[in-house]
Amino acid sequence: MGRREVIAAQLVGRERELELVLAAVAAGRDLLLEGPPGTSKSTMLRAITSSWGIPLLLVEGNADLTPAKLIGHHHPARVLQEDYSADNFVAGPLTEAMRQGGFLYIEEFNRTPEDTLNALLTAMAEREITVPRVGRIVAKDSFRLVASMNPYDNIGTTRISASIHDRMCRLAIAYQAEGDERGIVARQTGSVDERLIADAVAVVRASRSHPAVSLGSSVRGAIDLTLIAGELAVVRFGELEAFAGRGVDAGGGVAGSGASGSETSGGSGWSQVLDEGDYTALVLDAATLALSGRLTLHRTTDTTPEQVVLELWQDHFVLEPHLAARGPERIGIDDPAVLHHQDTAREPEPDRRPLTRKPKKLDQAPDLYQRSASGGLIMVGGEGDSGDDDGATDEGVGGSQTTHERGEQQPLEGLLDEEPDPDVLAMVERISRALAIRRQPEDRTRGRGGAGPLVSVPFRYRSDDIDLDRTIEMLTERPRPEDTDVIVRERRQRQRAVTLVSDVSGSMRGEKVRIVAATVGALCADLVDDELAVVAFWKHAAVLQELGTGIAAEVVLRDLLRIPARGLTNVHFGLATALRELQAARAPHRMGILLSDCVHNAGPDPRDVADRFERLHVLLQVDGEHDADLARELAVAGNGAMIPVTDHTEVPDALNVLLEA
């Protein structure tokens, strides 16, 4: 048996992918494997390195992975006793893989900070690195860097630079065929219950196309479902005499193959022993336990993972058998979850759907109100764009769609009504203050992809990445050091510029004003070290706080309440105004947060401007009329997320998710 056949024997399917991976690593190339979890990426690499007789060093990419942890460090105690030397250098996984000629496998590659990824460049390009006080480390010929990442997860991730991509081959790996997934479940569980395995795989595969699910379960869900169902059968029915007499050990397991299998003829298993009702109910309970935590639901859905699992179970055990009983009239589909959205008479959708409501074309430029504005015509939404007065779109740099909108600049003072109702003002200030309890900077752990730079700070019982040079300097001055005399490297969060774009069309009253107050209060509390701007919009727009001005939340809320109630909603002009604010920001990371019901009924299509944001999130107000489809499309165009909020108590959790994205 050849080496390829030996490796293939450890896998189920994946013939093409195995050939491509083997070709890449045999050619001396580094490799990026891109695909959802549970698609045999690590299994394939273990089989290859085992066959080659070389180590596989696995590293999990996250914000805490520093260059020192990847390359290595000098042993602090030995340095204090012996000074620096190559002998007291503790090799990291990159150095170890190079010395041993192994594979360095970095999972969650796109969660790794940029400076850590840059530490790989020389090793990838030159197959060697130079470590201070150690010297030059040359990789053995069999050294390879292999990375993997999940393209469907963008929380806490970073963009991978072109210089990294240019040094790696890329292989996209999708879920395997249904037959292969059944084979994986059988191999991993030891079960020979073919019906249970088929049912488990069918339910798991259906989870990947359910309309409420953004990321379904991997084959690991089917493995767990099969194992749990086998043990649950023993718990519920193992003591039954009739059950024990048909291939099942009543003392606590399935005869001959563990709790998940059976030696009944043909591999039929214990699923054939139970009554149909008992069996399907058992599978539902096992599926709820095994799958509910593995399903990632869309932000817009109001269902629960348990309800989704119930629907998947009903599709498979209730709907599918019913269709099968109809014989030739059965709908020909491979996946029962497709029935949720199947419409054979529908034409393929165009690249962009028509807006739910045809917006009113404005007969004059909208007004942009700013503090102490001098008046005159301005352009928002782009720099140097040209087009019609009605905000037509054209093609920008690189073929991306750009947009502009003209507005008359007006002083904010000419817009605002008299002071708002004292009771309403007191209420919104109370909500804002309740959310504005500022956390200490060291306690404000934000995702941000771990993209902040490493800085040297006194030890505060968190980081274990010691800055040895700085620590030695401190210890020479303090013969009896304190904990804080040890200097460690931690990541300083990069500054962000955030613009809140708040819809004030219609009447600012009831839960709508509470949600606005909660959002302003929570953002002012969270963005202590960042820049915050606030834009209100209706048919027109008003900049209530410019980036870097630091106006108190109470002043912003008072001005929001003083804006007269308006009817039309021009989401485009609100977003274009916010984009104009962000273009002038000093912070390297720029984000817009749209707070609206997204019932766009005036002005150009807002999707034209959404895709120009570095990141645009949407808080969708769903307590009344709303357009969830447009909200979702705006978030997708802006590389962001959309979260529905019903009342102001949901705002803090929603903002935590968005600010970490």
Side-chain angles (χ1 to χ4, degrees):
M1 182 182 295
R3 178 170 291 180
R4 179 188 177 280
E5 288 72 24
V6 171
I7 298 173
Q10 301 178 54
L11 304 171
V12 177
R14 293 295 184 209
E15 290 86 358
R16 172 182 173 273
E17 289 84 356
L18 176 59
E19 290 176 350
L20 293 173
V21 171
L22 283 172
V25 295
R29 299 300 90 194
D30 298 316
L31 188 62
L32 174 62
L33 305 177
E34 187 172 320
T39 47
S40 303
K41 297 186 289 292
S42 57
T43 302
M44 189 185 311
L45 293 176
R46 288 191 183 94
I48 293 173
T49 53
S50 175
S51 173
W52 286 17
I54 59 176
L56 175 68
L57 288 84
L58 190 147
V59 176
E60 181 183 352
N62 55 52
D64 294 329
L65 184 60
T66 62
K69 290 181 178 178
L70 197 60
I71 297 172
H73 63 277
H74 288 271
H75 193 286
R78 292 187 59 185
V79 169
L80 293 175
Q81 297 172 12
E82 310 165 2
D83 204 352
Y84 289 98
S85 71
D87 290 338
N88 57 42
F89 177 73
V90 181
L94 171 61
T95 308
E96 202 66 34
M98 295 177 70
R99 284 175 170 172
Q100 298 184 38
F103 283 15
L104 175 63
Y105 179 39
I106 304 179
E107 293 188 309
E108 304 290 350
F109 195 53
N110 53 341
R111 293 181 183 274
T112 306
E114 183 179 3
D115 55 356
T116 305
L117 293 179
N118 289 339
L120 298 168
L121 288 173
T122 304
M124 296 167 68
E126 307 296 336
R127 316 315 277 183
E128 65 178 51
I129 57 174
T130 300
V131 180
R133 303 186 181 93
V134 174
R136 181 165 162 258
I137 297 174
V138 180
K140 289 187 176 180
D141 291 341
S142 56
F143 165 73
R144 303 288 183 273
L145 171 66
V146 184
S148 68
M149 67 185 204
N150 176 10
Y152 305 105
D153 188 1
N154 63 357
I155 300 298
T157 59
T158 58
R159 291 190 179 100
I160 298 174
S161 68
S163 58
I164 294 289
H165 276 300
D166 189 52
R167 288 167 168 81
M168 304 186 79
C169 297
R170 172 184 172 274
L171 176 61
I173 298 181
Y175 288 113
Q176 291 169 278
E178 185 169 4
D180 289 340
E181 291 199 336
R182 291 184 186 182
I184 292 172
V185 174
R187 172 178 289 192
Q188 294 295 321
T189 63
S191 175
V192 293
D193 194 323
E194 295 175 358
R195 182 190 179 188
L196 174 62
I197 292 173
D199 289 338
V201 169
V203 171
V204 162
R205 291 176 66 84
S207 74
R208 301 167 193 164
S209 57
H210 190 282
V213 176
S214 61
L215 181 62
S217 172
S218 71
V219 71
R220 295 189 184 100
I223 292 170
D224 284 4
L225 196 164
T226 302
L227 291 171
I228 292 169
E231 295 295 342
L232 188 58
V234 173
V235 171
R236 287 185 179 175
F237 307 106
E239 73 278 6
L240 295 180
E241 197 170 328
F243 193 47
R246 297 182 64 179
V248 179
D249 176 11
V254 180
S257 62
S260 303
S262 170
E263 288 188 340
T264 53
S265 60
S268 60
W270 55 262
S271 62
Q272 303 297 323
V273 176
L274 295 179
D275 292 337
E276 186 67 14
D278 290 337
Y279 169 71
T280 56
L282 185 147
V283 171
L284 174 60
D285 288 340
T288 302
L289 182 60
L291 303 183
S292 59
R294 287 183 160 94
L295 305 181
T296 302
L297 304 186
H298 288 297
R299 301 291 186 195
T300 56
T301 186
D302 57 357
T303 189
T304 66
E306 290 78 12
Q307 290 173 321
V308 171
V309 173
L310 177 60
E311 289 182 21
L312 296 172
W313 177 86
Q314 290 173 333
D315 284 346
H316 183 69
F317 287 104
V318 180
L319 178 60
E320 191 73 0
H322 172 70
L323 293 175
R326 294 170 59 184
E329 298 179 2
R330 180 184 176 189
I331 300 175
I333 58 174
D334 295 327
D335 197 328
V338 176
L339 289 173
H340 286 285
H341 49 77
Q342 188 179 35
D343 185 356
T344 55
R346 181 181 301 171
E347 293 294 328
E349 292 188 359
D351 292 339
R352 174 178 287 179
R353 69 172 183 87
L355 291 170
T356 303
R357 296 161 185 79
K358 185 176 182 180
K360 177 182 178 181
K361 185 174 182 179
L362 302 178
D363 53 7
Q364 63 183 32
D367 293 326
L368 176 61
Y369 295 89
Q370 291 181 286
R371 299 184 189 276
S372 303
S374 58
L377 185 69
I378 63 166
M379 190 84 75
V380 297
E383 297 177 348
D385 295 337
S386 61
D388 303 328
D389 289 346
D390 62 354
T393 62
D394 51 44
E395 291 300 314
V397 178
S400 62
Q401 197 172 47
T402 62
T403 184
H404 77 279
E405 193 164 0
R406 299 181 183 185
E408 293 285 347
Q409 192 175 29
Q410 303 289 349
L412 182 62
E413 294 77 9
L415 167 70
L416 303 179
D417 280 346
E418 298 178 356
E419 289 296 317
D421 183 285
D423 293 336
V424 176
L425 181 60
M427 181 263 296
V428 298
E429 289 180 345
R430 185 169 60 252
I431 292 174
S432 177
R433 283 194 299 271
L435 295 174
I437 301 174
R438 295 186 175 183
R439 292 166 285 180
Q440 295 299 319
E442 57 264 31
D443 295 330
R444 295 171 62 241
T445 55
R446 286 279 169 244
R448 307 191 202 177
L454 284 168
V455 295
S456 295
V457 296
F459 177 61
R460 291 174 292 191
Y461 304 97
R462 288 197 311 276
S463 176
D464 59 356
D465 188 3
I466 297 177
D467 186 335
L468 201 50
D469 289 341
R470 294 284 303 277
T471 299
I472 290 176
E473 292 176 6
M474 295 290 291
L475 296 182
T476 57
E477 301 174 3
R478 294 174 176 81
R480 295 186 178 182
E482 302 289 337
D483 289 347
T484 52
D485 293 330
V486 176
I487 306 301
V488 296
R489 284 180 287 261
E490 294 182 0
R491 295 202 176 274
R492 175 180 292 165
Q493 304 296 357
R494 289 182 176 174
Q495 190 181 37
R496 296 169 294 183
V498 179
T499 297
L500 172 64
V501 196
S502 179
D503 185 349
V504 296
S505 59
S507 178
M508 284 289 289
R509 61 174 181 265
E511 193 57 36
K512 185 173 184 178
V513 73
R514 295 187 184 93
I515 290 176
V516 172
T519 306
V520 171
L523 285 175
C524 288
D526 197 275
L527 304 177
V528 177
D529 302 319
D530 303 285
E531 297 180 80
L532 174 64
V534 179
V535 172
F537 73 93
W538 56 107
K539 174 184 175 181
H540 307 287
V543 180
L544 303 181
Q545 175 173 323
E546 296 179 359
L547 289 172
T549 56
I551 299 175
E554 292 79 4
V555 176
V556 174
L557 289 171
R558 183 182 291 109
D559 290 345
L560 274 168
L561 294 176
R562 293 174 62 193
I563 296 176
R566 306 290 183 179
L568 294 178
T569 305
N570 185 353
V571 179
H572 183 284
F573 192 58
L575 291 179
T577 303
L579 186 61
R580 178 173 176 258
E581 283 292 308
L582 291 173
Q583 286 172 338
R586 298 185 300 272
H589 294 280
R590 306 171 186 184
M591 175 192 306
I593 298 178
L594 173 64
L595 174 62
S596 175
D597 57 21
C598 292
V599 181
H600 175 72
N601 54 27
D605 191 331
R607 295 171 293 189
D608 293 342
V609 70
D611 61 3
R612 301 199 61 203
F613 281 79
E614 177 183 317
R615 185 150 295 186
L616 175 64
H617 300 302
V618 180
L619 280 177
L620 177 65
Q621 294 176 309
V622 296
D623 56 320
E625 183 183 10
H626 60 278
D627 189 341
D629 290 334
L630 178 58
R632 187 182 304 109
E633 291 170 357
L634 292 173
V636 170
N639 191 32
M642 188 273 275
I643 300 181
V645 290
T646 305
D647 60 67
H648 69 281
T649 62
E650 300 173 358
V651 168
D653 288 341
L655 285 176
N656 280 339
V657 173
L658 297 183
L659 292 173
E660 290 174 5

